[in-house]
Amino acid sequence: MSDSVALVPSQNRIGELFERERERFAAEHPRSRELYERARGSLLSGVPMNWMTRWPGSFPVFISDAQGATLTDVDGKRYADLCLGDTGAMTGHSPAPTVAAVADRAARGITTMLPSEDAVVVGEEMNRRFGLESWQFTLSATDANRFAIRIARQLTGRPRILVFNHCYHGTVDETFATLADGAVTARHGNVGPPVELAETTRVVEFNDIEALERELAAGDVALVLTEPALTNIGIVLPEPGFHEALRELTRATQTLLAIDETHTLCCGSGGYTAAHGLEPDLLTIGKPIAGGVPLGAYGLSAEVAARVLEGTIWAAADVGGVGGTLAGNPLSLAAARATLTEVLTDEAFERMIALAERFERGVAESIAVHRLPWQVTRLGCRAEYMFAPQPPRTGSEAAAALDPELDALLHLYMLNRGVLMTPFHMMALISPATGEADVDAHTEAFAEACAELAA
Ligand SMILES: Cc1ncc(COP(=O)(O)O)c(C=O)c1O
């Protein structure tokens, strides 16, 4: 590649192809269009959750069935699903053991405000996988992060958290902070921040150990909250030595460290933490751990757990701001027990990672053949192509590589050829139900897109 000139697709060409694909999409999805028009009468913007407006095309596809790695829409079109509910369905859709457990549990009590035996098994399994001793359950990864932050503030008596620029940890107020000319400010589009983000949050670039050291030296950070590799602005891998420095600096400044494994569970059954021997004080997770049934979790190291036990006013636990009426419900935990012990197993990850390697090879080959200035990065069974020649070192570099027009075109191009990619960036995830044919469907469509873009 080094001696060849990279070809940047022109905006004109991208626009021309997008228009053609948009017309094809509209013509082939009359029933989705009809439902969307009707939905605008009762749902804000015609969708049940606002991000669904961000799919390219003039309206989103409405879903009829999702089974394994295949999704079928209301127009009868089938898709190889590489989005998998943005990791919520990393198990594949409706895996049989989870469905059976849910059916059984749903018939015997869904939510009770009392523990079930499944909770014990899931706690033990989380302990085995991630190495943290004590677990609590929520309904989402967002809530797990929220409670991790509260606990860290409580234990340290410090007001701020530190996150890495362009992170995403769910709809957690403190984490919507970004750097603008070195100053902390709210991210573009952040809805109704309760206070100025600079009051709650310090922000540094991922992999910037010097900045991390400087910001932690202030002594007011309760918690560093991070994914072990950024996945939400495109994949940004940690550089050698980064995690060692992060752990050393947080320990030296008595700052707690939370690793958010919600997406990086793609690295194996114990996530990046187990795969790379990390030693967080807290670990948060959610999305696929109950096969798509709402469940989040946070784990505490033995030391943190002891401090929490000591400091909790148990008589006021119901109004302490940690927990939730439906959290830890028997249905979610029955689903988690089946999912963790029978679906997202070590053997399943081996197959999933091998298929992601196949995806990565297919993408890399087309990029090389068409001399596009792009690259593909893989993290376990997740892979992503980005519109820059080098892998990003920081969230800002990853953000600079975003190209909304090209992104919209490629998402639509894939949809029209029966492949569903994760929205907002060109990310693909492999489930235990994914097959070579699903990966190859993408490889073929991607090769076709590259050829058209390079023409
Ligand atoms: C790393 C990470 N943490 C937490 C969350 C929040 O998950 P949820 O929206 O299910 O609460 C997300 C969502 O994308 C995420 O990517």
Side-chain angles (χ1 to χ4, degrees):
M1 272 299 286
S2 57
D3 57 349
S4 60
V5 181
L7 298 174
V8 181
S10 77
Q11 288 303 317
N12 266 355
R13 182 71 179 141
I14 293 170
E16 196 178 277
L17 291 174
F18 184 78
E19 205 37 48
R20 185 192 74 194
E21 294 298 319
R22 204 176 56 79
E23 278 172 23
R24 173 174 169 183
F25 175 81
E28 291 181 355
H29 296 86
R31 179 78 183 122
S32 273
R33 184 213 290 269
E34 204 176 284
L35 282 174
Y36 177 64
E37 293 300 340
R38 184 174 144 203
R40 278 151 60 105
S42 63
L43 303 175
L44 186 67
S45 202
V47 289
M49 195 273 283
N50 61 356
W51 308 349
M52 293 177 188
T53 57
R54 288 209 55 206
W55 288 96
S58 312
F59 49 87
V61 151
F62 279 64
I63 291 313
S64 152
D65 295 293
Q67 185 60 56
T70 305
L71 205 137
T72 308
D73 72 17
V74 290
D75 288 290
K77 298 215 161 294
R78 289 159 64 88
Y79 305 89
D81 188 359
L82 301 177
C83 163
L84 296 167
D86 194 12
T87 310
M90 187 174 131
T91 50
H93 296 285
S94 299
T98 310
V99 170
V102 165
D104 172 65
R105 187 69 249 181
R108 297 186 298 117
I110 293 170
T111 192
T112 54
M113 273 285 269
L114 286 166
S116 61
E117 186 174 336
D118 290 329
V120 186
V121 177
V122 175
E124 288 165 356
E125 179 62 14
M126 297 298 273
N127 182 320
R128 182 190 74 78
R129 286 175 176 238
F130 298 103
L132 288 96
E133 278 79 2
S134 291
W135 290 84
Q136 287 281 276
F137 297 97
T138 61
L139 288 181
S140 66
T142 295
D143 265 355
N145 283 324
R146 259 198 260 279
F147 300 153
I149 291 171
R150 270 187 186 275
I151 286 169
R153 284 200 176 114
Q154 174 77 5
L155 296 186
T156 61
R158 297 175 177 178
R160 288 193 166 86
I161 67 159
L162 184 145
V163 295
F164 293 99
N165 208 13
H166 293 284
C167 68
Y168 186 75
H169 296 283
T171 53
V172 179
D173 286 318
E174 292 91 334
T175 60
F176 287 108
T178 192
L179 290 174
D181 298 326
V184 173
T185 184
R187 278 182 80 153
H188 177 65
N190 184 214
V191 179
V195 294
E196 291 288 329
L197 269 293
E199 281 184 36
T200 60
T201 311
R202 292 183 180 275
V203 183
V204 300
E205 292 290 355
F206 200 67
N207 283 319
D208 187 345
I209 296 170
E210 218 174 282
L212 179 66
E213 185 167 15
R214 183 189 66 230
E215 295 297 314
L216 291 183
D220 60 359
V221 175
L223 181 77
V224 173
L225 173 62
T226 185
E227 289 188 278
L230 301 185
T231 65
N232 282 287
I233 186 72
I235 296 173
V236 183
L237 298 175
E239 293 186 327
F242 175 69
H243 275 292
E244 289 78 0
L246 172 61
R247 188 61 281 199
E248 214 173 285
L249 289 169
T250 44
R251 282 199 174 122
T253 54
Q254 289 90 50
T255 310
L256 292 168
L257 174 62
I259 295 290
D260 181 345
E261 290 278 7
T262 304
H263 276 186
T264 46
L265 180 61
C266 60
C267 294
S269 62
Y272 191 101
T273 291
H276 296 268
L278 303 189
E279 294 175 0
D281 300 303
L282 301 97
L283 185 145
T284 57
I285 194 164
K287 294 204 185 182
I289 57 172
V293 174
L295 182 68
Y298 56 98
L300 311 174
S301 70
E303 195 214 321
V304 170
R307 289 163 71 187
V308 169
L309 286 175
E310 200 182 316
T312 303
I313 301 170
W314 292 99
D318 53 333
V319 290
V322 171
T325 312
L326 300 184
N329 71 75
L331 185 72
S332 296
L333 287 160
R337 178 179 183 167
T339 302
L340 295 175
T341 60
E342 297 180 64
V343 184
L344 289 178
T345 58
D346 290 346
E347 305 78 66
F349 274 103
E350 254 177 58
R351 272 184 289 114
M352 289 148 75
I353 291 170
L355 273 180
E357 288 167 353
R358 185 183 179 95
F359 177 97
E360 184 185 21
R361 281 195 301 275
V363 171
E365 195 179 312
S366 281
I367 290 175
V369 166
H370 297 287
R371 294 186 292 137
L372 289 158
W374 305 346
Q375 57 85 33
V376 54
T377 301
R378 186 181 56 79
L379 184 63
C381 65
R382 177 186 303 279
E384 160 133 19
Y385 38 99
M386 299 172 84
F387 310 127
Q390 299 299 329
R393 285 186 58 243
T394 65
S396 287
E397 285 182 18
L402 296 176
D403 182 333
E405 284 78 27
L406 189 50
D407 190 275
L409 167 65
L410 287 172
H411 274 93
L412 201 53
Y413 201 98
M414 294 300 155
L415 258 182
N416 283 341
R417 286 154 188 79
V419 178
L420 192 74
M421 298 290 283
T422 305
F424 322 139
H425 42 139
M426 300 311 298
M427 194 163 74
L429 186 65
I430 307 295
S431 76
T434 307
E436 289 186 354
D438 299 308
V439 170
D440 295 349
H442 172 273
T443 305
E444 206 176 297
F446 183 68
E448 197 185 330
C450 290
E452 286 213 75
L453 280 164

